[in-house]
Structure formats: structure tokens, C-alpha cells
Amino acid sequence: MTEPLDRLSRLLLKAKAKALAEENETLAWFRRRPDYRPEFEYFLNIVGQGDLAAIADRAGRPVIALLCNQSPLELIVAAGFQPVKIASGSLAETSFSGFGWPALTCPVVKGLLTRLAFKSSSRSVPIVAPATCDWVAKFGEMARFALPAPPSVAYLDLPRFKQDPFSQKKWLSEVYKLKNYLEDLRGGPITRANLLAAIADLNAAYAAFLSLKAARLKGQLSLSWFLLIVGSFFGDTPRRWAENARRLTFKSNGSNSLAKVFLAGSPIFFPNFKLPALMEEAGLTTVADDLCSSERIFPPGQVLEDSSLPGLLASLAGRYHQGCLCPTFGDNDRRINNILGQKNEAGFTGVVFTVLKGCHPYDLESSLLEPALKERNLRFLRLETDYAAEDRQNLLTRLEAFGQSLKGEPGF
Amino acid sequence: MKIGLIRGAIQWLSFFVLTYGGRVGIHLGSALPCFACPFVPGCGGYCYLMGLQGYIGFGLALGPAQGKEILVALGWLGVFILLVLLLGKAWCGFICPFGLIQDWLTFIRNKLGLRERYLSPQGKKYLGVVKYVFLGLIVFLPPLIVAKILPPDLYLPFCNICPGKLILPLFAGETRYLAVNLDNAVTMWLSLALIVVAAVTLVGAFFKDRFYCLFCPFLALIHVLRPLTALRLVKEPTSCVGCGVCRRNCQMDVAILDQDQAQVQTIECVDCLRCLTACPMSGTLKYKFLSLTLFAASRWTRLRLRPKP
């Protein structure tokens, strides 16, 4: 009995060392880039969310880990916690085979379980999980199976049909459930004043996010930096992140790429920046995206007219449910409108859709979106990949060809 | 563009003009499609509902012998139609002084941190019928008074129970409608009804945004002309993501705002434009005068960082 455990421990230690090396390699890659600026250093220092204890120390408050975007961040901040969306973008973590998961397991969840196995300090952090895809819904059970001391997972039963009024009511009751859960953890009630202060903080972060989005739209911020800066949002308090993001200055780099694209599909998490790096190498300028690891961290719909506590909770519930474009929803057909609406603003002519192997909802979504977007004269490139580097050249070739087709070069 | 500020400024300006304008010689006529109450001493214009009751009852109903009155009545009707065609529901959202008073109550409720009470769709449907009952009073009672079937004290039947008659004159120092009129049984019951309606309206408007607009006969009258109005709210459904922020911020809880349809301006819509201000999808909602876009929803300019603690 002890021998297999020892073997598991050895494998975990190896994975941990590799994961750390991967993170350092990605950070070094960012620092070597010609568009690196010292003002980005703050974001490079907070982007890794592997060590939740370090984030708690930095934020000066305990951490609540989140599995998806639908938990109202304002409520968690109002309760005095630091929300941290946890997900794995590490090849070493996802390649770990010690638990015997199926081959096409979602790499984000698989890698996360590996990380929790070797980061025992992170296991004491409570996790809030809105039940989005099957992998997230099964995460708690998988954690109990794999980890000797599994973390506590509080599930929110996310209704899959967001436009249905009964679903909206059900979700509101789940938001109240979350409020009660947080109040139990906090040991006191969340007041209207707490919530208003948290909303002000998140609104400031949203304003900073919009300035980053505007800079990217003007070609002043590359995709990689945008994903890194926005992805680092959970590494510090929303207020401090917003202050640092607002301090960034942007200058035009003079390029006016014809190959403007929209990036959609499965999320891209630190330290895996394979795809953004390849897109940049292929000469594609990404002017907007709808990744849940990027733009969708900040869902729309945050103007709150009814500022009573129940009014604020109802508004937040709507924002994080009806306003969410996650493909796990059964009535998500208007997600295409987000792409078409942004097309008018950003002027892209192509959509790059990334499907992470094992991420079934996005796999299906790409099949639904492709014909609809092509019908509206948008070129569409579907890339199925994982965190490994083996398909780099193949992806680059396809991206370059896609870029040439967007520029209207001969042969396309 | 700060739509809320512009709208607020116009609301305040129109409140002062319509409440005190007469004192400086301003009078905008007798066909205004909003609650510009004629019972306010020194007001700057008259609500058309009073004219409608008067002209129907004492103009048109008197028959051909009163030809001049009929022409005057038709003239004011023409002015009313023209004003509605020009500004549509902006009369409700931008100009109506009684609308502004209801918005003050909402403001106070928000400051106190009290929640808004929502009506169920069924409840709204039933209450919405009341506006047609009021329209019925306006159209059918005056001829009955002229024909002496009903007592003359019922003259201007809608005005007698309109909360504006009690509340708006208070801003000009006129308090007589607060008292019960004991001249006879009819006036007593009417004045009591007025006090009750005004009290219910104030309490209702405190807990529910634009509560009285649910019953306002103007919404029904203006809506008849909606397809022809120059000023209107339009939606581009192909860029709507259905986030629902428009409906959550709508003063009248218009149920179809976030649905996939172009025509979202229902009978309840009062052109408060809170939907347009909140909408995060650029260009999805537009407020247009004919083909000229006055305001458009924008991802970039909607950052109203409120509420603040």
C-alpha cells in the first residue's frame, strides 16, 4: 500500500517542479518580449494563482476559490474575501497521470486536481463552484476520490436556461444561498454598505478593464499582454489591480494590421500562452475576445438602479446569469450577437475559435457558430489543441494561412 | 453622453415652466400630452385630458349650434396629435411634471436603501386596465353630464380623481384640494376619492418606480400614435446578447426589452431611457428623431459607477 503512494508522491513532486519551471519560463518569455515595459511587472508578479496562501497574504484577506465566472464577485468581496478563479493552464499539471482520469478529461479540471494534490495549503481554501459543465459539476466528487484531504466545495445549482423567468428566480435563490454561505464563513451579515463598497471596487476594476480593451482595440496592447493583465485580476484586490491597470499608458505602435481577428472558444490560462504567442507570430491582431478567462471575467449589465440590498442581489444575479455567454447554457444562441456587435466596433474579419481537447461544450459550440458566422461574411478558423507544444508548427501554419486569407492575399 | 443628466435637466426645466411659467407670461396651450395641471395657479400650460373632457362634454356634445366650439376642440385635438407625433413618449419621460415627482420618490427610496416592489406580470396586466377605465370616464361621462343624466358637479370627472390635481398645486402653495369639499354629497365623495387616490399614488410611487404611469390614460393615447411618432426608441435585435440589464433597470419593467425583437416600445414604456443607458452592446438600443440618432447604447460610455456607498 505504501509503495504506490510513494510512487504517487514522487510523481507529484516531479509535476510540481515542472509546473514551477513552466510558470518561470512563461514569465521569462514575457520579460524578454520587445514590448515588455517595467510597468507590467506588477501583473507578472501577481498572475500565478497556484499559491492561494500567497494571494491571501497579498490581498490581506482570506481567499475563496472559484471554479467558474458565475459567482457574483461583488458578494465575495463584500463578505471580506478575496475571490480567486482557480484553473490550470499547466502542461505538467494536466499531464499528471497518477489519478487515472479518462484520456479526454478537461485539462483545466484535471490540472487543477493535480495542483491541489501537491499544494496542500490550497486545499484548506473553500471552493465555490457554479455547476456549469459536467467537469465542474463532477469536480467535488473527483476531488474526494483523488485527494486525501479534499477541499470543501460549495455548489451553486446554475440553471441552464437563463432566459426562462423560473430559472432566473432559481438562480436568485442560489445567490441568496451563496450569501448565507459567505455569512457563515465570515461570521456576520453582509450589509448593504459592504455590498455597495464592493460594487464600487468592482466597477473601478471594470473601468480599468475597459481601458485595457480600448487599448487592445487600437492595437496598443497585444493579445498576450491583454490576457496576462486581465488574467491577473484575481491575484490582488480588485481595487489595487484597477489602480495599477489604470496607471498603464498606451502608445500606438504604428502598425495597422489588416488581419484583425476575434478570439473565441475555450479559456486560456496562465502559464499556457502557446496560442496567443502563435497568433502574434502569424501576424494576427486580436482586437476582441469572449474567453471566460479574459473578457468574460467582467460580464455586462452592472448598472444598478435599485440600491436596496435585495435590489442589488437581484441585479447581480441577473448580471452573472443572464449576462453570461457560457456555452453550457441551453439557450445561448444569442452569443453570436456578441461577436457581431463587436465586429461593428472592432472591424475584425475573422474569428479564431480554440477548442481545448476535452472541453466538450466549446467543441459543440464551434460547430454551431461556424456556419452562422460564415453566413455573415466572417472567416472562421477552428483550432483544436491542448497544452502540449507538439502541434506548434501545425497551428502556426494554419494561423499564417488564415491571416493571409484575411488580408485577401492571392490564393485565398 | 450623460443621458441621465440631460434628461434630468429637461425634467426640471419643464417642471418649472409648467408649474410656474404662467407667472412670467409663459403659456404653452391647452393640449399638452402630460400632467401640466390647470389647477396649479400660474401654471405654464394645460394638460390635454382636461381639454378633452371639456371639449367632448361641452363642445362637441352641444352639437352644431356650437360650431365655433367644435372648431376650437378640433384645433386643440390637432395640436395634441402634432405634439405627440413630434415627441412621442418623451412627454412622459422628459416633460411630465408628475413623472418627475414620482422620480423624486424613487430617489428618496433609493437613498433610504429600501427595495422596489415589483408587480407580477398578471398584476400589471390587471392594473393596466385602469388606464382604459380612466379613458372611458374622460370620453363617456361628459356627454352624460351635458345631457343632465349625471349631476353637474361631476364636471371634469377624471380631473376630480387625478392625483395631479391635489399634488401639483401644492408646489404653487395651493392647498385647498387637501380638504374635503362639503358643498354637497357629490363633491364630498369626489374630494374624498381624490385624497385617497393621491395618497395611494404617493405611497405606490414610493415603493414602485413610476407607479402612477401604470394607470395614466396618456400612455394609452400616445401609444395609439406610436407607429407615426418622430421620436422613438429602437432596438437592433441582432446585437442583443440578452443580458437583461435593460429590463432590470426599466422603470416600467417592460418584459420584452431583452427579447429578440425590434419593437420594444410597449404601451408601458415612458422613454426614461434607463435601458439605453444600461445596455452594454454598442448601438443595440437607439433613441432616434426620425433617422437622426440622438442617443445610442455604448459599451464605452455607460460607466455610471453608481451606486456609491
Side-chain angles (χ1 to χ4, degrees), chain B residues 231-281:
Chain B
L231 196 59
R232 62 174 73 181
L233 179 71
V234 294
K235 179 178 170 183
E236 175 48 68
T238 57
S239 57
C240 170
V241 292
C243 68
V245 66
C246 48
R247 178 145 57 99
R248 290 195 292 280
N249 284 285
C250 176
Q251 287 193 310
M252 302 298 289
D253 311 322
V254 172
I256 62 164
L257 257 173
D258 55 353
Q259 292 176 16
D260 231 348
Q261 55 191 89
Q263 182 45 259
V264 289
Q265 210 165 16
T266 63
I267 190 165
E268 300 106 333
C269 177
V270 292
D271 275 13
C272 66
L273 302 192
R274 274 165 45 163
C275 54
L276 188 147
T277 317
C279 177
M281 294 303 292

Side-chain angles (χ1 to χ4, degrees), chain B residues 108-136:
Chain B
I108 294 166
R109 186 195 69 227
N110 268 328
K111 282 287 166 199
L112 294 174
L114 298 172
R115 73 175 298 189
E116 183 184 355
R117 302 285 153 176
Y118 295 97
L119 298 168
S120 68
Q122 203 67 11
K124 263 179 72 180
K125 200 172 138 192
Y126 289 134
L127 288 177
V129 173
V130 176
K131 63 169 86 69
Y132 298 105
V133 174
F134 285 158
L135 264 184

Side-chain angles (χ1 to χ4, degrees), chain A residues 305 308 322 334 337 345, chain B residues 115 238 240 249 258 300 304:
Chain A
E305 293 289 352
S308 64
Q322 249 187 299
R334 276 194 275 181
N337 291 353
E345 283 180 290
Chain B
R115 73 175 298 189
T238 57
C240 170
N249 284 285
D258 55 353
W300 310 101
R304 287 191 296 159

Side-chain angles (χ1 to χ4, degrees), chain B residues 22-23 28 36 40 53-54 70 82 95 148 151 153 173 188 190-191 198 200 208 215 218 263 284 301 304:
Chain B
R23 297 167 192 230
L28 302 176
V40 176
Q53 297 164 84
I70 290 174
L82 195 69
I95 299 169
K148 298 196 170 126
D153 287 315
M188 185 189 79
L190 280 177
S191 55
V200 169
K208 164 86 194 80
F215 318 112
F218 271 132
Q263 182 45 259
T284 299
T301 59
R304 287 191 296 159

Side-chain angles (χ1 to χ4, degrees), chain A residues 53-381:
Chain A
I55 296 178
D57 285 346
R58 190 182 303 128
R61 52 174 79 165
V63 162
I64 294 268
L66 308 171
L67 276 189
C68 279
N69 283 346
Q70 289 82 359
S71 322
L73 300 177
E74 291 84 346
L75 201 50
I76 293 160
V77 173
F81 294 97
Q82 168 68 18
V84 179
K85 186 174 162 185
I86 49 169
S88 174
S90 158
L91 174 64
E93 288 170 355
T94 51
S95 310
F96 177 74
S97 57
F99 298 136
W101 305 125
L104 273 182
T105 304
C106 165
V108 173
V109 164
K110 189 178 174 187
L112 183 59
L113 286 164
T114 311
R115 187 194 305 159
L116 290 174
F118 63 62
K119 288 263 187 203
S120 56
S121 63
S122 294
R123 290 206 296 270
S124 58
V125 170
I127 296 175
V128 171
T132 49
C133 67
D134 292 350
W135 294 115
V136 171
K138 298 295 279 184
F139 175 83
E141 207 176 320
M142 291 166 84
R144 285 195 295 279
F145 171 82
L147 307 175
S152 113
V153 184
Y155 271 102
L156 301 177
D157 188 2
L158 183 78
R160 294 284 181 86
F161 290 87
K162 56 186 176 171
Q163 301 299 344
D164 177 37
F166 291 102
S167 295
Q168 290 162 10
K169 270 191 193 162
K170 160 76 177 154
W171 177 244
L172 181 60
S173 71
E174 291 295 309
V175 169
Y176 272 90
K177 191 173 94 182
L178 174 64
K179 177 175 170 280
N180 294 340
Y181 173 74
L182 293 170
E183 285 175 340
D184 285 347
L185 286 180
R186 165 194 167 94
I190 297 170
T191 64
R192 175 173 172 261
N194 296 146
L195 196 50
L196 286 170
I199 287 169
D201 279 3
L202 267 294
N203 278 354
Y206 185 77
F209 158 76
L210 278 187
S211 68
L212 296 171
K213 184 171 164 59
R216 181 172 64 165
L217 192 62
K218 293 175 197 155
Q220 297 167 350
L221 190 62
S222 67
L223 173 65
S224 296
W225 280 116
F226 183 87
L227 293 180
L228 181 116
I229 295 170
V230 172
S232 72
F233 170 70
F234 295 106
D236 203 349
T237 62
R239 183 174 294 204
R240 265 205 297 271
W241 180 87
E243 282 165 4
N244 281 280
R246 255 201 323 266
R247 272 202 285 269
L248 293 175
T249 51
F250 303 104
K251 280 179 283 184
S252 174
N253 59 11
S255 71
N256 188 17
S257 169
L258 290 174
K260 287 182 181 172
V261 295
F262 182 93
L263 178 60
S266 305
I268 293 173
F269 292 111
F270 181 83
N272 193 292
F273 277 72
K274 176 176 79 174
L275 195 67
L278 290 174
M279 288 174 73
E280 285 168 9
E281 202 176 328
L284 300 176
T285 303
T286 308
V287 284
D289 74 75
D290 68 0
L291 307 185
C292 66
S293 55
S294 172
E295 287 203 22
R296 274 179 31 221
I297 292 173
F298 302 94
Q302 55 160 19
V303 181
L304 307 157
E305 293 289 352
D306 181 356
S307 61
S308 64
L309 187 58
L312 295 175
L313 290 171
S315 232
L316 290 174
R319 177 187 182 197
Y320 284 86
H321 184 229
Q322 249 187 299
C324 181
L325 296 174
C326 178
T328 55
F329 285 113
D331 52 357
N332 203 36
D333 44 339
R334 276 194 275 181
R335 87 184 293 275
I336 192 174
N337 291 353
N338 181 45
I339 301 176
L340 298 175
Q342 297 219 46
K343 179 193 166 199
N344 297 335
E345 283 180 290
F348 52 83
T349 49
V351 174
V352 175
F353 197 102
T354 163
V355 178
L356 207 48
K357 280 178 188 157
C359 183
H360 310 315
Y362 279 108
D363 204 356
L364 172 65
E365 189 95 329
S366 73
S367 305
L368 299 173
L369 270 181
E370 184 171 358
L373 289 174
K374 282 182 171 169
E375 229 172 67
R376 290 162 175 87
N377 297 322
L378 277 169
R379 287 179 187 264
F380 188 90
L381 177 68

